[in-house]
Amino acid sequence: MTSPGSKKVVTGEGSEKNVSGNLGKVSFSGDLNDSGSSSLSSGGEGGTFECSGWVYHLGVNKIGHEYCNLRFLFIRGKYVEMYKRDPHENPEIKPIRRGVIGPTMMVEELGRRKVNHGDVYVIRFYNRLDESKKGEIACATAGEALKWVEAFEEAKQQAEYALSRGGSTRTKLSMEANINLEGHRPRVRRYAYGLKKLIRIGQGPETLLRQSSTLVNDVRGDGFYEGGDNGDAIEAHQWKCVRTINGVRIFEDVANFKAGRGVLVKAVAVVEANADSVFEVLLNIDKQQRYEWDAVTGDSEKIDSYEGHYDVIYCVYDPKYLSRIFCRWQSKRDFIFSRQWVRGQDGTYTILQFPAVHKKRPPKSGYKRTDITPSTWEIRSLKKRSDAETPSCLVTHMLEIHSKRWCKWKRTSYSKFEKTIPYALLLQVAGLKEYIGANPAFKYETSATVIQSKLPDVSNGEYVDEELEEQFYDATDSSSDEEESDEDDDEQDNKEIKVKLKNVSWAIASLSLKRPKAPGASNVLDTSVDPVSIDPSQFQGSLRKGNGDKDSNCWNSPSGMGFMIRGKTYLKDNAKVMGGEPLLTLVSVDWFKVDKAEDNIALHPKCLVQSDLGKKLPFILVINLQVPAKPNYSLVLYYAADRPVSKSSSLGKFVDGSDSYRDARFKLIPSIVQGYWMVKRAVGTKACLLGKAVTCKYLRQDNFLEIDVDIGSSAVARSVIGLVLGYVTSLIVDLAILIEGKEETDLPEYILGTVRLNRIELDSAVSLEV
């Protein structure tokens, strides 16, 4: 019998072997900051970022066959190499693919995909200037995929850093974009070998070789993870513990409780395993594993999936276990629900579950179709006190229950409620905790193995290999790979470094304070210039300004006090402070409908920026949020400054900086002030670096900077915005825009601007005349 930490695989010849789930390895050289992550600025000439581990290389060869090959990927500075075996253990081996991670390379996480009867998490690479240059790799878990994305983003910053140094490095990097040296074996020979391999595999079952790379998280030192356990926007929930069952606390939200309506409840427990492992257990619908902890969805079948982050599940259950009244002749019950999951930039997983219908599973004879209660899962890693401590995470399962039954059970332990599906859903947390606790392999986390690379030293940023490919997406281009598969398996140790988080719930008590000025905003605008008068009533957008929260289909500009931002000492203690008044004034909002995503709206002749009043303003920040739908929409926010921006300030560096500099600092904090609780959980309140989550384009001209945010460029963002649009007419949404402070000179942070969107009506959008 195989332990839960290992995987049984079938090789091309049909023989079986067990493979441990921890095979990754990371090598890192360079300076470390206080958090233990790599720091590009401090590395300078003395160190180069390195990261390596096992991945799957996906693609289609020239005769149309898909392949999924296990490969060892090695990132070193701005260079990447792909091997068939670990080069640390096989120093004589040569890479089969090489490439440069250039500034124009984009990285997108595509989510979960079934490959050769197994599920993997896919990462796509492409050139934003030429999307025909692309490639894909995949990882065994969502956590590994995110760490690889972070590693590639770090390598891109190394490339930008090399360019900024000028001289020979600038010349060399520019030349590399045009170099196309031969880095592979002759094409005819490799094509013939690949054909032989395909014929051989076709004679038997082809099973995905699942190996975990489990990278050590040494890839970020610039605040990519957001501090704050409870989010960066203040919420009004007041949770009260009403029961403790099998070590699981059950809470109700007493702040929003109203008699006669549903009550929001949640079950919370600490599970001794990392968040990635718990997430994989929750998503796994294997019947044998599910039977050990889940009384509700044990008999499950996946009937459909979409875009890697959304699937539809069909379940059957026996009513004798979950029915208040049991009769021998009762028919079986079945239900269908959808699952939608998101992994935040802080590593927290959120899973949304809704009742659903699907044409593949219509109601059938002998089964009574029922609806499952909508619910959400949240899995958040907890900080380890020491390296020897077992990793753990906080698991929360939240749902809405009819208030009458809930109150009766809470007062008298109403036994009939304990035979209902909502109660069984709450107790899923207890079952999950006990199942993982009974399987030590989920708890086990080995220490990191640091490798001293035997390959040539590149600490000075210059790569001496003569056989360098052009770009990494060329190195993984599916049209040029007919590689032979390997059957060599290696077991490597791993270690996951947690980022220090800090609780910010204390800030709720400060909401009654007077609205302060924006902290850290002094000297951002040029005080040597007299301010101009800004009257928002003189600017007319297609979406009108509202007269309070009861108004609909309008906008307002709230205070920044509902948001938590980095304080002066954040780099030392992760402390956050309440935001103050926005630095910039929101003067107008446009709500457009368009056939396709429109960039450079500020150049439109009828845009506010091109008006006489707009040209007189010292500076305008234009935020164009491109919403994917049918039709597409653009929400355009115009923020004005009464003085020119100081060139030496953090805003000045952002306005005139490079695209990669802006991507690493452009931050948005969302908050659903009023609306359906499931939408609140989906959107969350965590700050998001938009340039890392979706594609952002920048246009700097005259007195303005336009940022075009393509929400549709991310499968995760598309799924979340699709949910939001379904309830948008009942939502009040707050957004805060700011520049992330990564250095002491940039702290404390200050809020650039805010907007409150009150119950927006999609039909009110006006056409943008081209």
Side-chain angles (χ1 to χ4, degrees):
M1 183 173 179
T2 308
S3 66
S6 63
K7 305 183 189 298
K8 180 175 289 186
V9 301
V10 181
T11 65
E13 287 75 17
S15 60
E16 294 184 355
K17 56 182 175 179
N18 292 330
V19 181
S20 171
N22 299 320
L23 295 168
K25 183 183 297 181
V26 164
S27 172
F28 177 83
S29 62
D31 294 337
L32 298 177
N33 59 19
D34 293 338
S35 64
S37 301
S38 63
S39 176
L40 181 60
S41 60
S42 64
E45 294 283 337
T48 297
F49 169 82
E50 292 186 358
C51 194
S52 59
W54 290 99
V55 299
Y56 302 104
H57 185 192
L58 308 180
V60 180
N61 60 25
K62 293 207 171 186
I63 60 174
H65 285 260
E66 295 183 354
Y67 59 80
C68 175
N69 296 330
L70 189 67
R71 295 291 178 250
F72 191 88
L73 203 61
F74 188 11
I75 300 176
R76 178 171 44 188
K78 56 187 173 65
Y79 304 96
V80 63
E81 296 175 334
M82 184 178 286
Y83 297 85
K84 290 185 179 180
R85 290 182 292 277
D86 186 345
H88 303 107
E89 297 181 356
N90 302 272
E92 302 301 324
I93 192 173
K94 293 183 178 180
I96 58 175
R97 296 189 175 274
R98 311 162 187 243
V100 178
I101 302 176
T104 60
M105 189 190 76
M106 304 300 293
V107 185
E108 180 184 6
E109 185 185 358
L110 299 182
R112 193 176 173 111
R113 183 190 300 176
K114 183 175 288 295
V115 178
N116 296 349
H117 310 291
D119 290 323
V120 293
Y121 295 85
V122 181
I123 302 171
R124 172 176 173 254
F125 305 89
Y126 64 93
N127 186 339
R128 67 182 180 187
L129 303 179
D130 183 4
E131 293 197 21
S132 64
K133 296 182 176 181
K134 59 187 178 181
E136 289 183 346
I137 63 172
C139 305
T141 68
E144 294 171 20
L146 182 63
K147 292 169 189 174
W148 274 113
V149 171
E150 294 169 5
F152 277 98
E153 292 293 344
E154 181 74 16
K156 284 179 62 178
Q157 290 191 25
Q158 292 253 333
E160 286 288 336
Y161 177 69
L163 278 172
S164 67
R165 293 162 57 192
S168 61
T169 304
R170 175 186 293 273
T171 304
K172 187 177 191 306
L173 194 59
S174 299
M175 289 176 60
E176 287 169 349
N178 298 316
I179 289 177
N180 187 18
L181 301 177
E182 289 293 332
H184 303 288
R185 292 171 289 176
R187 187 61 57 189
V188 175
R189 175 184 166 190
R190 298 189 68 248
Y191 178 81
Y193 190 93
L195 183 62
K196 178 181 178 182
K197 181 208 71 167
L198 288 169
I199 294 174
R200 178 172 60 84
I201 290 180
Q203 295 172 353
E206 185 178 1
T207 303
L208 175 65
L209 178 63
R210 293 292 302 274
Q211 279 189 329
S212 173
S213 60
T214 316
L215 286 167
V216 178
N217 186 17
D218 278 340
V219 298
R220 297 298 294 180
D222 55 0
F224 185 76
Y225 286 105
E226 277 297 325
D229 292 354
N230 297 326
D232 296 306
I234 299 172
E235 296 184 287
H237 292 298
Q238 186 176 357
W239 295 103
K240 179 181 179 181
C241 182
V242 294
R243 284 287 164 83
T244 301
I245 301 175
N246 298 329
V248 175
R249 295 173 296 159
I250 298 180
F251 294 81
E252 70 171 333
D253 182 12
V254 296
N256 295 323
F257 177 76
K258 295 181 180 179
R261 299 184 61 183
V263 56
L264 205 59
V265 300
K266 67 179 182 180
V268 181
V270 175
V271 178
E272 292 187 346
N274 62 57
D276 295 335
S277 298
V278 176
F279 173 73
E280 293 297 332
V281 172
L282 277 174
L283 250 60
N284 192 344
I285 58 173
D286 176 71
K287 182 180 294 187
Q288 292 303 119
Q289 185 184 101
R290 209 81 184 182
Y291 275 176
E292 294 192 44
W293 67 272
D294 188 357
V296 184
T297 59
D299 286 311
S300 300
E301 175 191 358
K302 182 164 67 175
I303 57 177
D304 216 339
S305 60
Y306 309 92
E307 295 192 329
H309 296 86
Y310 186 101
D311 61 18
V312 182
I313 306 297
Y314 172 74
C315 293
V316 176
Y317 72 93
D318 194 327
K320 68 181 179 182
Y321 301 116
L322 296 172
S323 179
R324 296 187 299 274
I325 302 175
F326 175 69
C327 298
R328 184 174 300 176
W329 55 86
Q330 268 188 320
S331 60
K332 287 188 175 182
R333 308 291 176 87
D334 63 355
F335 57 86
I336 301 174
F337 69 97
S338 64
R339 301 187 302 185
Q340 181 178 340
W341 56 89
V342 179
R343 191 183 199 272
Q345 290 180 338
D346 65 339
T348 298
Y349 290 97
T350 301
I351 305 174
L352 311 176
Q353 298 182 165
F354 291 95
V357 293
H358 200 280
K359 61 182 180 181
K360 290 183 179 180
R361 288 294 182 273
K364 60 182 180 179
S365 176
Y367 288 82
K368 182 177 180 180
R369 180 62 53 90
T370 186
D371 286 335
I372 192 172
T373 305
S375 63
T376 67
W377 288 89
E378 183 179 275
I379 311 162
R380 176 166 52 84
S381 294
L382 298 177
K383 178 190 173 185
K384 292 169 60 177
R385 299 176 183 175
S386 65
D387 292 341
E389 186 178 358
T390 302
S392 61
C393 61
L394 189 69
V395 178
T396 302
H397 195 192
M398 185 183 301
L399 60 151
E400 191 173 20
I401 296 178
H402 192 279
S403 60
K404 184 177 180 180
R405 293 177 182 171
W406 170 255
C407 292
K408 192 171 183 180
W409 174 78
K410 187 176 63 174
R411 290 193 304 266
T412 63
S413 295
Y414 185 48
S415 59
K416 290 185 178 181
F417 176 72
E418 295 177 3
K419 287 285 189 178
T420 63
I421 288 182
Y423 183 78
L425 289 173
L426 283 175
L427 293 191
Q428 279 181 315
V429 177
L432 180 69
K433 178 181 178 181
E434 292 300 315
Y435 170 72
I436 291 179
N439 290 276
F442 288 113
K443 304 179 184 180
Y444 181 70
E445 184 180 52
T446 60
S447 59
T449 302
V450 179
I451 307 300
Q452 297 297 327
S453 176
K454 298 181 181 180
L455 300 176
D457 181 24
V458 291
S459 60
N460 60 356
E462 301 288 342
Y463 192 58
V464 298
D465 199 309
E466 296 178 356
E467 299 184 23
L468 186 61
E469 279 285 324
E470 181 184 352
Q471 294 279 335
F472 178 66
Y473 33 76
D474 294 328
T476 60
D477 188 356
S478 60
S479 65
S480 62
D481 192 15
E482 298 108 11
E483 301 172 5
E484 59 199 272
S485 62
D486 297 314
E487 298 163 4
D488 298 331
D489 305 309
D490 301 297
E491 182 174 351
Q492 309 296 344
D493 294 333
N494 75 88
K495 175 184 176 183
E496 185 175 4
I497 298 176
K498 307 294 183 181
V499 178
K500 182 178 180 182
L501 303 176
K502 190 173 182 69
N503 197 326
V504 297
S505 59
W506 56 267
I508 297 177
S510 304
L511 283 173
S512 60
L513 298 177
K514 293 179 66 176
R515 291 167 64 151
K517 294 182 179 180
S522 59
N523 301 323
V524 176
L525 303 180
D526 190 349
T527 55
S528 65
V529 179
D530 293 334
V532 300
S533 177
I534 299 178
D535 183 5
S537 63
Q538 296 179 345
F539 302 89
Q540 299 298 325
S542 59
L543 190 67
R544 66 182 180 86
K545 186 174 183 180
N547 297 316
D549 289 346
K550 293 184 178 180
D551 206 350
S552 297
N553 199 36
C554 59
W555 63 271
N556 282 293
S557 183
S559 163
M561 291 180 61
F563 302 95
M564 305 302 298
I565 59 179
R566 296 183 175 187
K568 183 65 178 176
T569 60
Y570 179 84
L571 297 181
K572 298 177 181 178
D573 57 13
N574 280 13
K576 292 192 174 184
V577 298
M578 188 179 298
E581 284 296 297
L583 175 71
L584 306 179
T585 302
L586 180 60
V587 294
S588 182
V589 176
D590 278 325
W591 179 230
F592 295 129
K593 60 181 176 181
V594 293
D595 293 331
K596 62 179 182 178
E598 290 288 341
D599 298 332
N600 304 335
I601 283 183
L603 299 180
H604 194 280
K606 293 187 178 180
C607 177
L608 177 150
V609 178
Q610 301 301 326
S611 67
D612 292 336
L613 285 174
K615 292 179 179 179
K616 294 178 182 179
L617 293 172
F619 175 73
I620 305 175
L621 177 62
V622 182
I623 308 294
N624 176 19
L625 300 176
Q626 300 168 345
V627 181
K630 295 182 179 180
N632 293 314
Y633 298 94
S634 276
L635 180 70
V636 188
L637 313 174
Y638 303 92
Y639 294 96
D642 58 0
R643 288 186 172 99
V645 177
S646 174
K647 299 291 185 181
S648 61
S649 66
S650 58
L651 178 57
K653 296 175 183 177
F654 178 85
V655 170
D656 296 320
S658 65
D659 287 357
S660 61
Y661 181 91
R662 294 163 175 158
D663 282 344
R665 288 163 175 79
F666 179 42
K667 187 160 70 174
L668 178 141
I669 306 176
S671 176
I672 306 294
V673 178
Q674 185 180 107
Y676 183 38
W677 70 273
M678 288 282 283
V679 180
K680 289 185 178 182
R681 302 301 296 179
V683 173
T685 57
K686 293 294 297 180
C688 174
L689 287 171
L690 285 182
K692 303 297 183 183
V694 297
T695 300
C696 293
K697 298 179 182 178
Y698 305 89
L699 175 64
R700 175 72 171 108
Q701 286 187 15
D702 303 326
N703 67 330
F704 72 90
L705 170 67
E706 177 177 340
I707 306 178
D708 299 313
V709 182
D710 183 7
I711 299 175
S713 63
S714 165
V716 176
R718 282 197 304 271
S719 63
V720 173
I721 200 67
L723 177 63
V724 171
L725 291 178
Y727 295 88
V728 68
T729 56
S730 62
L731 301 179
I732 296 180
V733 183
D734 279 4
L735 302 175
I737 296 166
L738 60 157
I739 300 170
E740 181 166 90
K742 298 180 180 296
E743 301 174 2
E744 286 194 21
T745 55
D746 299 331
L747 296 175
E749 290 178 337
Y750 52 89
I751 293 178
L752 287 178
T754 62
V755 64
R756 172 167 291 180
L757 304 170
N758 286 27
R759 307 176 189 89
I760 301 299
E761 297 175 5
L762 299 180
D763 294 339
S764 67
V766 300
S767 297
L768 178 63
E769 299 177 2
V770 180

